[in-house]
Amino acid sequence: MTTFVRTVSDLRARVDKWHRQSHKVALVPTMGYLHNAHIALVEAGKQICSRTVVSIFVNPRQFGPKEDFEKYPRDEQRDLSMLANHQVDLAFVPSLEEMYPLKFSTVVSVPSLTQTLCANTRPSHFSGVATVCAKLFNQCRPDVAVFGEKDYQQLQIIRHLVKDLDIPTEICGVPTVRETDGLAISSRNVYLSKQERARAAQINLILAATATRLTEGHEPAKELTNALSQLNKKVGYTPEYLELCDAETLAPITELNTPARLLTAIIINRTRLIDNWPVMPPTT
Ligand code: PAF
């Protein structure tokens, strides 16, 4: 099992000591139930820094009232042994009370990036994420924090947040890790039946093919309509959204002349899946 601490003061004592010894520290924030995509974040952190901390905290503030907070998969012992196998130096596993003591009341939000995409159906989600990440950055004071590109809107929000709040942590984004059939790895994939799982694998195929056609210069509006009907037909559910956005500001775009992102969210029988694909503008 990897060494773990449960309090902010123990976390700080370790990280401060490493900093005094001139180590660079990477933080990988997670909600546990670790899988290969988390390990890719750990490995990315290890490439840049000489010490790695993984936080494990299922953050209630980013779940809506009807979402799966209670049922979200958890397995602390398994997580800690997995982290030991990957030579993680420290896990931070705070209790609910450690993170949110009785009179806790601050909310961090990034309105310019949370009026769109996932925020339309999960209105309080990103302020929950931003609040817990701001706390984690202050608690751990990492040199680098590592996030997956699968949660692309989250990644852009975190980048904006550290800039706005002058948090001296560099944010490192890691490309989405996929199953062999291309489905983006997610803790929530365990909710899918075998049949649903097969349908879910169509999502990335449709996004990838659409991204290719867009980069070849095909008209965005037409490609989005086509991709939407493919998602309906092949996945069997209507996406919550399918949008082509500016890669940094997440503003919707109709003409492709800057790096963009094609993003979707789709609920397959109560399991909400998200995925996105980079789209480069045509070269000619
Ligand atoms: O991406 C996640 O797992 C969570 O949103 C995060 C960043 C750990 C915050 O709780």
Side-chain angles (χ1 to χ4, degrees), residues 31 33 58-75 96 122 188 191:
M31 297 208 299
Y33 210 68
V58 185
N59 173 33
R61 289 176 185 245
Q62 67 188 76
F63 289 79
K66 293 197 183 122
E67 292 183 358
D68 55 347
F69 173 67
E70 297 298 342
K71 133 170 184 228
Y72 195 83
R74 293 161 169 89
D75 193 339
L96 198 57
R122 307 187 76 195
R188 290 191 170 102
Y191 301 153

Side-chain angles (χ1 to χ4, degrees), residues 29-31 59 62 129 132-133 147 151 154:
T30 81
M31 297 208 299
N59 173 33
Q62 67 188 76
V129 171
V132 83
C133 287
F147 292 85
D151 296 287
Q154 165 174 286

